[in-house]
Amino acid sequence: MMQSGVPPCTTCGEPVGFDSNGEVFVACHECNFPICKSCFDYEIKEGRKVCLRCSTPYDESTTMPDVETNQSSNHSTMASHLSNAQDVGIHARHVSTVSTVDSELNDDSGNPIWKNRVESWKDKKSKKKKATSKAKPEADVPPEQQMEEKQSADASLPLSEVIPLPRNKLSPYRCVIVMRLIILALFFHYRVTNPVDSAYGLWLTSIICEIWFAVSWVLDQFPKWTPINRDTYIDRLSARLSRYEREGEPSELAAVDFFVSTVDPLKEPPLITANTVLSILAVDYPVDKVSCYVSDDGSAMLTFESLVETADFARKWVPFCKKFSIEPRAPEFYFSQKIDYLKDKIQPSFVKERRAMKRDYEEFKVRVNALVAKAQKTPEEGWTMQDGTAWPGNNSRDHPGMIQVFLGHTGAHDIEGNELPRLVYVSREKRPGYQHHKKAGAENALVRVSAVLTNAPFILNLDCDHYVNNSKAVREAMCFMMDPQVGPNVCYVQFPQRFDGIDRSDRYANRNTVFFDVNMKGLDGIQGPVYVGTGCVFNRQALYGYGPPNLPSLQKASSSSSSCSWCGCCSCCCPSKKPSKDLSEVYRDSKRDDLNSAIFNLKEIDNYDEHERSMLISQRSFEKTFGLSTVFIESTLMENGGVPESANSPTLINEAIHVISCGYEEKTEWGKEIGWIYGSITEDILTGFKMQCRGWRSIYCMPLRPAFKGSAPINLSDRLHQVLRWALGSVEIFLSRHCPLWYGFGGGRLKWLQRMAYINTIVYPFTSLPLIAYCTLPAICLLTGKFIIPTLSNLASVWFLGLFISIILTSVLELRWSGVSIEDLWRNEQFWVIGGVSAHLFAVFQGFLKMVAGLDTNFTVTAKAAEDGDFGELYIIKWTTLLIPPTTLIIVNMVGVVAGFSDALNSGYEAWGPLFGKVFFAFWVILHLYPFLKGLMGRQNRTPTIVVLWSVLLASVFSLVWVKINPFVQKVDGSETAQSCISIDC
C-alpha cells in the first residue's frame, strides 16, 4: 500500500519516498513535481538537470549524490541484462541506456543498486497482483507500449516558455522611469511658471514643443514596462520526442502556406525572388505540409519564366540542402558566405557535390539574367509564350487571372525521386474601374486561392527579398501555434526583421535594432508585438475575422485572479470596486456573442450533413461576408484546414480562378473586417490592430539564428522615401475610422498599454512639426541674442541636471536588459531627427491633402538590388525634395553658430556665458543631422548642384539678415548725439 500523504512518482508510479531528513522527497522546489529519488538520480546521470514540468534548474544541494560511487570490478555487459528487459516495465529505459563502459552503483554486498531497485519494484508489483480479486498472469510490456508511455509523458511538456527579465535588471529600469516622470513634472512646473518676457514667443514655442516631446516619450516608454523573452523547444517536435511526428508514421504537424509577393521584376530582381522561393522549398518541414504561393501583381512574363527556371533548379537544390543540412538555404547567400563551409561536414562526398551544385547555380543565374536582359525591351506586339500564344498579362492593368501549379504531389519530383513542396504562381485579375488595393489586395487574393487549393491552417507571408535564413523557423513558430495552452488564442507569430548588405556603421539605422530588440519585446509582455508586414505566421481563422476560442472575460476589479486590463500582468493591480452591470457592459457582451457565434458554428460544423451545412451558410449570411464561392466558404469552416477528399484538381483550379476575379470582393467584408485591411498603405499595422481588438494576442519569436533575412535601402534618398511611406500610412490610419484613439473600445479586449503603443505608431509623424520648430530655435536664439530659458537658479539647475541624468540612466538600463549596443541606440536617435524633419513632415502634409483634396499618393516599390562594390549604393545621391528641410536646418544652425561667436567676440567676456547654452543647443541639432550631412557629401565629398544652390541661397539670405541686425556697430540714441554736439564749444 502507498504511504499516506506521499505522492506517487510520475515516471514509475511508486511513492516518491523520503529524504535523509525524513521529509517527503522533493526534487523541484518551484512546482513540487513528484518524482522518486531513483528516477531523479537517473535524470541527473543523463545530464537532464532541469525540472520536467517547469524547466527550472534543480538545486545543487539536491543533485549531490547520497552515496559514493565505486567502480565495479566486473563490468556487466548489455547482453547479461536483456533477459530482464521485459519484466521491468517503465524502468526498462534504465537498462536500455546503460553503456558497457559505464560504472555501476553497488551496495554493500556488491550487487548493483539499480538491479536491487528493479527486483524490489517487481516484488511490490507481484504482491499487489496477488491482493487483487481477479488475478491475471503478469503480462510483458512490449517495447512499443513503453515508447508510447514515454511519448505521452513528453506530450505533457510545454513547447515554449516565457522567460521574464531578472528583477535586478527590470526593477531599477522601472524605478528610473518613474523617477524620470516625476522630474519631468517638476521640470515643466518650473518652465511654465518662469516665462521669458524678452523672448515670449520663443519661450512659448519651446514649451509647446517640449510638452509634445514628453507625451511622445510616455507613449513610447510605458509599453516597454513588462518586457519578456521566450524560449522554444523544437526538439520536442522532432522524431524522437515529438507528440506530432513519430518515425514510420505520417507527420501530424500542421500545414503551412507560404505567401511571397512581388510587383515589378525590374525593381525586385527575379534572382532575389528565386532565392526566397528556393529557401522556402528547402525548409526543414514535411514536404506535404508546405505550399509556396508567389503573387505576381505586375503580371510580368519575366516573373513567370524565372519561376519556371526556379522550379527546375529546386529539383537539385532541395535534396542537396537536406542531405548536408545547409544553412542558409538560399543559394546566393550560401555560396557568398565567407566562412569555413567544411565545418561540421563529415560526408566525404560533400566537397564534390558542393562544387557541382555551385556550378549548377551559376548556370541557373546565367539563364535568369538572360531572361532579365531580354525583358528590358518589350516587343510592340507584346510577349508571347513558347506555344506561340500571347501572354495574358501583356497589359498589367487589364488582364485575366492566372494560376500555374508547379511541383507538389502531382508535379515533378527531385532528382532523387522524392516529392517536393507545392509551388503556385498567382496573378489576380485586373480590370479598369476596379479598386485593387495594392499589396493588401494581392495578399487577400492569395488567402482565397490557398484556401481553395491547400487550405493550410497557418499562413507565413514574406516579402520577395526576405529569404528563410533558419530552416527550422517554421518549427519555431509551431512551438507556439500548436501548443494546446498557448496556440488557440494566438493570431500570429512575428519574427524580427534582420538585414544583409548594410554598412557596418548602419548610418541610417536601417536595421531598426531598437524597435525590434526593445519595443517589440516590451509589447510581447502585454498583448503581443505589432505586425510588421513580413516574417509573420498567421492563424488563418484570425484572418477570417473570427475571435479567439477563449475570448478574454470582462475585467472586473473585484476579481483578484484576473489580470490587469492596463498591462496584462498581475504586478500592477487595480483597487477593488463593486462590480456593476451597466449598459456599456451589456453592449460589449452582445458584441462578444455576435463574434462567438461564428466560432461556435466552426467547432460544430463536423456534426452537420451537407444539407444542414448549406443551411448554416445561408443563415449566417457567409456569402455576404466571404463572397460567392461555396468551396471557399466551406474552407473557412474547417478549423484544422485541409480540402475535401472528393474535390478534383480541375474543379479547384476553376474555383481558384473565380476567387481572384477583380469583382469578387464587391459587397463583401474583404479588406473591411477580414483578411488584410484596406485604407492605409501600411496595411500591416492596421491588420494586426484589428485582430488584437477582437481579443487575439500575438507572439514575438527571436531564435538565436535569425529566422529570415532581407535587404534594406542603404541609399539616403531611398531610405527617406521608405520612411515617408511608413509615416504616410500612419497618418492615413490616424485620419480613418480605425484610429486607435477611438476605435475598438466596444469589446474591451485591447489592453491599455497595447492601445498606447498603437497610438504611438500613428501619431509619431506629427512629432515632425514641433521637432522642426525646436531645431530652428537654436539658430534664432543665436542670431537674435535671446534665449528660451531665463537665468537659472540653483533649484532650476537641479531639475535640469536631474532630467539629463534620468534620460541617460533610462537609456543605459534599457541597453542592459535588451542587449542593444550604444551605437545602435545613437544611430536610432540620429535618424529619428533626420526622418522627423524630412519624411515625417511631408507625410503629414500629404496625408491631409489626400483627406481634403482627394490627392492619392502613388506607392513606390523600394528597389531591392544592391550596387556592385563595397556598399556602392550608400554614396549615391538621388535628388528629392525630402532633402531640403534637413539641409536648411544644418545651414541655419551653422550660420547661427558663426554669428553667435562673432557677437561674443564683439561683446566681450560677459557674453560667453549665455553663448554656451545656445551653442550647445545648436550643436545638438548638428550632431543629430550629421549622418545626413555625411550622406550629402558622398564618397568623394561631391555634393549635388541643387544642394549647393540651396546652400548659397540660404547663406545669402541669412547674411543679409545679419547685416540688417548689424551687431558690430553700437547703436546710439539720436538725442544723445545732438546733445553732445550742442555741448561742443566751437
Side-chain angles (χ1 to χ4, degrees):
M1 298 293 293
M2 185 179 296
Q3 296 105 321
S4 176
V6 180
C9 175
T10 307
T11 303
C12 64
E14 293 299 306
V16 297
F18 301 91
D19 57 14
S20 57
N21 298 328
E23 299 178 353
V24 176
F25 176 74
V26 178
C28 177
H29 296 281
E30 291 291 331
C31 64
N32 296 328
F33 182 65
I35 183 173
C36 66
K37 189 66 171 64
S38 302
C39 296
F40 173 75
D41 291 338
Y42 174 78
E43 293 292 329
I44 297 300
K45 181 181 178 182
E46 290 297 311
R48 294 186 284 270
K49 298 185 178 181
V50 296
C51 178
L52 296 175
R53 174 185 293 172
C54 65
S55 302
T56 303
Y58 293 127
D59 294 339
E60 294 184 1
S61 59
T62 311
T63 58
M64 294 294 292
D66 294 334
V67 296
E68 296 292 336
T69 59
N70 297 319
Q71 185 175 2
S72 176
S73 58
N74 296 320
H75 294 288
S76 59
T77 63
M78 179 69 72
S80 64
H81 302 296
L82 288 179
S83 59
N84 297 327
Q86 295 180 346
D87 298 329
V88 296
I90 196 66
H91 281 280
R93 66 174 184 169
H94 294 272
V95 181
S96 62
T97 55
V98 171
S99 173
T100 57
V101 297
D102 290 340
S103 61
E104 298 173 348
L105 297 176
N106 298 337
D107 58 7
D108 296 336
S109 61
N111 295 322
I113 291 179
W114 70 266
K115 189 173 182 179
N116 292 340
R117 186 169 67 245
V118 171
E119 293 296 335
S120 62
W121 180 83
K122 289 166 60 179
D123 293 338
K124 293 178 182 179
K125 281 291 183 183
S126 61
K127 292 179 180 179
K128 289 181 181 179
K129 290 180 179 179
K130 291 179 181 179
T132 58
S133 59
K134 296 182 180 180
K136 296 183 179 180
E138 184 176 354
D140 295 337
V141 180
E144 293 80 2
Q145 183 177 345
Q146 298 175 22
M147 291 299 298
E148 289 180 0
E149 291 177 356
K150 183 176 180 179
Q151 288 174 350
S152 63
D154 293 330
S156 63
L157 301 177
L159 295 177
S160 63
E161 180 185 7
V162 176
I163 305 176
L165 294 183
R167 289 186 178 180
N168 60 350
K169 293 183 179 180
L170 190 58
S171 297
Y173 177 65
R174 290 176 173 176
C175 291
V176 170
I177 292 174
V178 174
M179 180 184 70
R180 180 174 172 180
L181 194 63
I182 296 173
I183 294 176
L184 202 59
L186 296 172
F187 168 80
F188 278 118
H189 178 267
Y190 168 78
R191 292 282 282 128
V192 172
T193 55
N194 291 272
V196 181
D197 296 330
S198 60
Y200 189 83
L202 297 178
W203 169 83
L204 183 61
T205 302
S206 66
I207 287 293
I208 295 173
C209 294
E210 288 166 1
I211 291 176
W212 180 269
F213 296 152
V215 173
S216 298
W217 171 76
V218 170
L219 293 175
D220 178 71
Q221 186 67 66
F222 279 90
K224 297 181 284 190
W225 185 260
T226 57
I228 61 171
N229 293 311
R230 293 184 185 271
D231 199 4
T232 56
Y233 303 103
I234 59 175
D235 57 327
R236 295 171 187 172
L237 286 169
S238 63
R240 176 185 290 184
L241 297 176
S242 174
R243 69 189 74 173
Y244 301 111
E245 281 186 300
R246 297 180 183 178
E247 187 175 355
E249 298 182 11
S251 174
E252 295 182 12
L253 288 173
V256 180
D257 288 337
F258 285 78
F259 291 175
V260 179
S261 56
T262 181
V263 180
D264 188 350
L266 298 180
K267 290 187 177 180
E268 299 169 328
L271 191 61
I272 291 181
T273 304
N275 273 270
T276 300
V277 172
L278 289 169
S279 68
I280 292 172
L281 298 178
V283 293
D284 182 12
Y285 209 70
V287 293
D288 59 323
K289 304 293 184 180
V290 175
S291 299
C292 178
Y293 293 82
V294 179
S295 171
D296 178 18
D297 219 31
S299 66
M301 187 173 174
L302 172 58
T303 303
F304 178 82
E305 290 184 332
S306 65
L307 208 59
V308 174
E309 293 288 347
T310 303
D312 184 61
F313 179 71
R315 298 177 61 246
K316 302 176 183 178
W317 174 251
V318 172
F320 171 76
C321 290
K322 294 187 176 181
K323 180 179 180 180
F324 298 107
S325 301
I326 299 301
E327 293 287 359
R329 299 189 177 181
E332 180 69 25
F333 301 96
Y334 169 68
F335 289 120
S336 63
Q337 290 183 118
K338 297 179 181 179
I339 61 172
D340 181 14
Y341 63 86
L342 297 178
K343 186 179 181 181
D344 300 329
K345 297 296 184 292
I346 59 176
Q347 297 94 328
S349 62
F350 172 69
V351 176
K352 181 179 179 180
E353 293 191 35
R354 184 184 186 276
R355 190 180 299 117
M357 183 56 60
K358 187 175 182 180
R359 182 177 62 252
D360 290 339
Y361 175 65
E362 290 173 350
E363 294 174 355
F364 165 72
K365 287 177 64 176
V366 170
R367 293 194 297 271
V368 173
N369 290 334
L371 294 174
V372 175
K374 179 182 176 182
Q376 296 297 321
K377 186 177 180 181
T378 305
E380 294 181 1
E381 65 278 7
W383 299 105
T384 57
M385 294 185 288
Q386 293 181 356
D387 59 359
T389 59
W391 171 248
N394 277 322
N395 188 344
S396 61
R397 298 183 179 180
D398 187 2
H399 65 84
M402 295 178 285
I403 295 177
Q404 177 65 49
V405 180
F406 304 95
L407 307 177
H409 180 66
T410 58
H413 290 189
D414 64 26
I415 58 176
E416 297 180 357
N418 300 317
E419 184 181 341
L420 289 169
R422 184 176 307 198
L423 175 61
V424 184
Y425 169 87
V426 179
S427 182
R428 58 180 172 145
E429 182 187 18
K430 287 190 176 181
R431 301 295 181 191
Y434 286 90
Q435 279 285 345
H436 301 294
H437 303 289
K438 301 173 182 177
K439 181 182 176 181
E443 295 287 348
N444 284 337
L446 289 183
V447 171
R448 297 191 294 271
V449 169
S450 62
V452 172
L453 297 181
T454 52
N455 196 31
F458 302 112
I459 294 172
L460 197 160
N461 85 294
L462 291 172
D463 288 342
C464 66
D465 63 322
H466 275 70
Y467 65 91
V468 181
N469 184 65
N470 183 348
S471 62
K472 297 184 182 296
V474 182
R475 294 177 180 269
E476 295 274 357
M478 290 303 109
C479 286
F480 301 106
M481 288 298 197
M482 299 189 70
D483 192 307
Q485 300 297 325
V486 179
N489 295 319
V490 176
C491 55
Y492 59 82
V493 175
Q494 178 66 62
F495 291 89
Q497 292 185 19
R498 304 300 186 205
F499 302 98
D500 287 321
I502 296 177
D503 56 301
R504 297 182 187 88
S505 62
D506 193 13
R507 180 186 295 178
Y508 306 124
N510 284 280
R511 293 191 179 94
N512 286 325
T513 308
V514 174
F515 173 75
F516 286 112
D517 290 7
V518 180
N519 294 69
M520 296 286 266
K521 284 184 178 180
L523 291 177
D524 199 20
I526 309 172
Q527 201 171 338
V530 298
Y531 168 44
V532 296
T534 183
C536 187
V537 181
F538 282 98
N539 183 336
R540 188 182 285 269
Q541 297 302 318
L543 283 171
Y544 288 157
Y546 295 120
N550 303 321
L551 284 174
S553 58
L554 288 172
Q555 305 297 332
K556 296 181 180 179
S558 61
S559 176
S560 60
S561 60
S562 62
S563 60
C564 179
S565 63
W566 174 262
C567 65
C569 66
C570 298
S571 59
C572 48
C573 298
C574 304
S576 60
K577 297 179 182 178
K578 185 177 180 179
S580 61
K581 193 83 171 181
D582 56 10
L583 291 177
S584 62
E585 193 169 324
V586 174
Y587 171 74
R588 282 185 286 185
D589 284 340
S590 64
K591 294 277 287 184
R592 293 184 175 191
D593 291 339
D594 292 340
L595 285 174
N596 273 337
S597 61
I599 292 296
F600 172 78
N601 295 328
L602 180 65
K603 292 182 177 180
E604 300 295 328
I605 191 66
D606 293 335
N607 299 328
Y608 300 149
D609 57 23
E610 293 297 330
H611 176 70
E612 291 174 334
R613 192 173 296 189
S614 62
M615 290 294 293
L616 171 65
I617 293 174
S618 175
Q619 289 174 1
R620 293 300 174 184
S621 301
F622 281 157
E623 290 181 350
K624 294 182 180 179
T625 302
F626 296 110
L628 299 174
S629 173
T630 305
V631 176
F632 174 73
I633 292 175
E634 290 242 7
S635 71
T636 66
L637 300 174
M638 304 171 74
E639 186 176 12
N640 297 320
V643 295
E645 296 181 359
S646 59
N648 54 69
S649 297
T651 303
L652 294 181
I653 291 294
N654 290 333
E655 195 67 24
I657 291 290
H658 169 59
V659 298
I660 60 172
S661 60
C662 55
Y664 183 84
E665 294 184 354
E666 286 192 344
K667 297 181 180 180
T668 66
E669 294 298 322
W670 284 102
K672 301 173 185 176
E673 297 296 332
I674 61 176
W676 270 257
I677 307 301
Y678 304 150
S680 171
I681 58 176
T682 52
E683 70 289 330
D684 44 8
I685 294 177
L686 199 52
T687 302
F689 173 64
K690 291 274 287 187
M691 290 180 182
Q692 293 187 340
C693 283
R694 296 189 189 105
W696 294 94
R697 75 151 293 131
S698 56
I699 297 291
Y700 196 49
C701 182
M702 294 183 65
L704 292 178
R705 180 179 179 87
F708 310 101
K709 279 190 174 183
S711 60
I714 62 175
N715 174 267
L716 175 60
S717 303
D718 290 341
R719 172 66 167 150
L720 288 178
H721 276 289
Q722 182 188 55
V723 175
L724 170 64
R725 187 169 68 249
W726 295 343
L728 180 58
S730 296
V731 175
E732 289 174 341
I733 297 174
F734 177 82
L735 299 175
S736 71
R737 71 182 185 90
H738 293 115
C739 179
L741 287 170
W742 51 73
Y743 182 83
F745 283 96
R749 299 167 189 154
L750 194 66
K751 303 292 183 184
W752 277 99
L753 285 182
Q754 192 78 17
R755 183 177 297 277
M756 188 180 293
Y758 275 111
I759 292 173
N760 186 47
T761 61
I762 58 104
V763 301
Y764 77 89
F766 296 94
T767 306
S768 60
L769 299 174
L771 183 61
I772 199 167
Y774 208 68
C775 290
T776 309
L777 286 177
I780 297 176
C781 291
L782 287 167
L783 291 173
T784 60
K786 300 176 181 179
F787 201 38
I788 58 176
I789 300 174
T791 304
L792 296 179
S793 63
N794 292 335
L795 183 60
S797 302
V798 171
W799 300 142
F800 274 87
L801 185 62
L803 182 61
F804 280 111
I805 293 176
S806 65
I807 292 173
I808 295 173
L809 284 178
T810 305
S811 301
V812 170
L813 294 175
E814 209 165 75
L815 298 180
R816 184 168 173 247
W817 66 255
S818 66
V820 175
S821 67
I822 191 171
E823 183 180 10
D824 290 329
L825 181 66
W826 173 237
R827 292 300 185 201
N828 182 76
E829 288 293 322
Q830 286 180 311
F831 199 78
W832 175 74
V833 176
I834 295 172
V837 299
S838 57
H840 298 172
L841 181 67
F842 279 78
V844 172
F845 286 111
Q846 287 185 17
F848 278 102
L849 282 175
K850 182 177 180 180
M851 181 189 69
V852 176
L855 298 177
D856 199 0
T857 304
N858 291 328
F859 171 74
T860 303
V861 178
T862 305
K864 303 301 192 297
E867 296 290 331
D868 294 333
D870 188 13
F871 310 114
E873 190 183 358
L874 179 66
Y875 306 100
I876 297 176
I877 299 297
K878 304 175 184 178
W879 170 247
T880 172
T881 53
L882 297 177
L883 301 177
I884 295 177
T887 304
T888 304
L889 284 176
I890 290 177
I891 295 175
V892 166
N893 280 278
M894 286 183 174
V895 171
V897 170
V898 173
F901 276 104
S902 301
D903 188 40
L905 290 172
N906 183 62
S907 301
Y909 177 78
E910 298 158 353
W912 288 95
L915 177 66
F916 175 77
K918 303 173 187 177
V919 171
F920 175 81
F921 199 7
F923 271 108
W924 177 89
V925 176
I926 295 173
L927 285 176
H928 277 78
L929 294 175
Y930 177 72
F932 175 85
L933 179 62
K934 196 173 180 180
L936 285 182
M937 303 303 294
R939 184 195 294 270
Q940 299 175 352
N941 296 333
R942 291 181 296 182
T943 307
T945 306
I946 189 68
V947 176
V948 175
L949 292 177
W950 265 99
S951 303
V952 173
L953 176 63
L954 291 171
S956 301
V957 169
F958 280 97
S959 297
L960 292 174
V961 173
W962 184 247
V963 171
K964 180 66 176 175
I965 297 174
N966 199 10
F968 296 102
V969 179
Q970 183 177 4
K971 297 182 179 180
V972 184
D973 192 0
S975 60
E976 294 180 0
T977 304
Q979 185 67 31
S980 61
C981 291
I982 294 173
S983 62
I984 296 176
D985 188 1
C986 295

